[in-house]
């Protein structure tokens, strides 16, 4: 089955700096890669996703890049703000068979004011 | 309001008891999922259902059971056979398009503690 690895497990940045979180996946058939933000005690919320037919997607301060050859994808947050502090999860799935997501282990992002 | 609701928010279970976690959605989604989250870890799939009256085991189904009698509802029962049930349980739902993966939306979660 699919295996998703996520790094780093914790990340601390100064307000206004950029943050980058990286994930690798094992199943070359995976073609959908969402990123979720989870605040303490709450359910994950989708912040951005990318499909394998594009290499990059951007939404204001957040961007995701995908390298299908290397089987890795990354989340980029620019101009970080204290409210960006949360746990971020990457995930992967494919269009055939089981469509449930396989998640990375999460990155705790702390933005220092 | 549209969305996914889970109840209760907190649940306490004694050893040997079965408990049922509720998940309801009014998004007209065909597919529903149950995940388990342990502290400092990612989410792991327990069961999923892509259509009413059908469901499949996920990666950690042992000690759990589900039903899908209505499109809107996907309750999860944690049985006494689950040896380490203390965790945060998350329900999700999505459309079930035939040719592409649809976005999964999550409920607020139920925190289960075994006393």
């Amino acid at each position: 089955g699919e295996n998703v690895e996520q790094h780093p497990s914790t990340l601390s940045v100064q307000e206004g700096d950029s943050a980058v979180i990286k994930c690798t996946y094992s199943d070359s058939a995976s073609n959908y890669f969402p990123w979720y933000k989870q605040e303490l005690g709450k359910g994950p919320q989708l912040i951005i996703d990318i499909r394998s037919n594009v290499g990059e997607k951007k939404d204001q301060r957040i961007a995701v890049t995908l390298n299908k050859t290397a089987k890795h994808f990354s989340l980029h947050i620019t101009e970080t703000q204290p409210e960006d502090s949360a746990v971020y999860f990457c995930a992967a799935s494919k269009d055939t068979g089981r469509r449930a997501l396989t998640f990375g282990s999460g990155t705790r992002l702390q933005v220092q004011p | 309001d549209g969305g996914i609701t889970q109840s209760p928010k907190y649940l306490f279970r004694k050893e040997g008891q079965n408990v049922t976690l509720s998940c309801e959605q009014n998004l007209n989604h065909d597919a529903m999922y149950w995940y388990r989250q342990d502290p400092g870890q990612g989410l792991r799939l327990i069961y999923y259902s892509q259509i009413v009256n059908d469901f499949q085991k996920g990666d950690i189904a042992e000690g759990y059971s589900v039903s899908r009698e209505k499109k809107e509802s996907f309750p999860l029962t944690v049985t006494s056979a689950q040896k380490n049930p203390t965790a945060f349980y998350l329900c999700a739902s999505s459309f079930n398009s035939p040719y592409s993966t649809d976005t999964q939306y999550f409920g607020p979660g139920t925190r289960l503690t075994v006393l």
Side-chain angles (χ1 to χ4, degrees):
Chain A
E2 174 68 276
N3 181 49
V4 177
E5 294 191 356
Q6 182 172 347
H7 300 280
S9 57
T10 60
L11 180 59
S12 182
V13 300
Q14 291 295 124
E15 183 177 357
D17 287 349
S18 294
V20 180
I21 303 170
K22 299 182 179 182
C23 290
T24 60
Y25 60 98
S26 61
D27 188 347
S28 56
S30 290
N31 58 3
Y32 175 65
F33 307 95
W35 286 89
Y36 287 86
K37 176 182 180 183
Q38 186 178 30
E39 297 179 348
L40 191 63
K42 297 184 178 180
Q45 285 192 305
L46 180 76
I47 55 171
I48 196 167
D49 57 9
I50 191 168
R51 298 184 186 273
S52 59
N53 58 345
V54 298
E56 184 174 357
K57 184 176 180 180
K58 191 173 181 179
D59 182 4
Q60 298 183 5
R61 299 187 295 110
I62 295 173
V64 57
T65 59
L66 172 65
N67 183 326
K68 286 189 296 182
T69 303
K71 290 190 285 188
H72 69 70
F73 56 112
S74 300
L75 177 72
H76 305 253
I77 305 174
T78 59
E79 301 172 19
T80 53
Q81 301 167 2
E83 51 265 38
D84 293 330
S85 297
V87 179
Y88 292 80
F89 291 97
C90 63
S93 71
K94 53 190 176 185
D95 293 341
T96 58
R98 179 178 115 171
R99 293 182 175 180
L101 298 168
T102 299
F103 282 84
S105 55
T107 296
R108 182 174 299 277
L109 173 64
Q110 182 70 41
V111 180
Q112 307 287 350
Chain B
D1 286 339
I4 304 172
T5 57
Q6 291 186 242
S7 62
K9 186 174 177 65
Y10 299 98
L11 186 57
F12 298 92
R13 191 193 92 169
K14 294 182 180 179
E15 295 279 354
Q17 278 185 337
N18 292 355
V19 291
T20 297
L21 282 59
S22 170
C23 178
E24 304 274 336
Q25 54 94 5
N26 61 4
L27 300 169
N28 199 32
H29 286 167
D30 294 298
M32 297 186 75
Y33 311 82
W34 275 105
Y35 294 89
R36 169 181 171 143
Q37 186 176 29
D38 292 285
Q41 297 187 31
L43 285 68
R44 293 182 291 166
L45 182 69
I46 305 172
Y47 268 98
Y48 65 102
S49 168
Q50 292 180 321
I51 196 169
V52 176
N53 293 322
D54 184 57
F55 50 83
Q56 306 295 329
K57 292 182 179 180
D59 300 321
I60 55 167
E62 185 175 352
Y64 300 98
S65 65
V66 294
S67 63
R68 188 81 189 280
E69 298 176 0
K70 298 189 300 181
K71 186 175 183 178
E72 303 79 15
S73 178
F74 191 40
L76 173 74
T77 297
V78 184
T79 75
S80 57
Q82 171 49 240
K83 298 306 178 188
N84 186 22
T86 295
F88 191 44
Y89 290 86
L90 288 156
C91 177
S93 69
S94 72
F95 289 112
N96 192 27
S97 303
Y99 303 114
S100 65
T101 305
D102 295 284
T103 301
Q104 289 187 25
Y105 297 91
F106 283 83
T110 291
R111 187 166 300 280
L112 173 62
T113 302
V114 174
L115 302 174

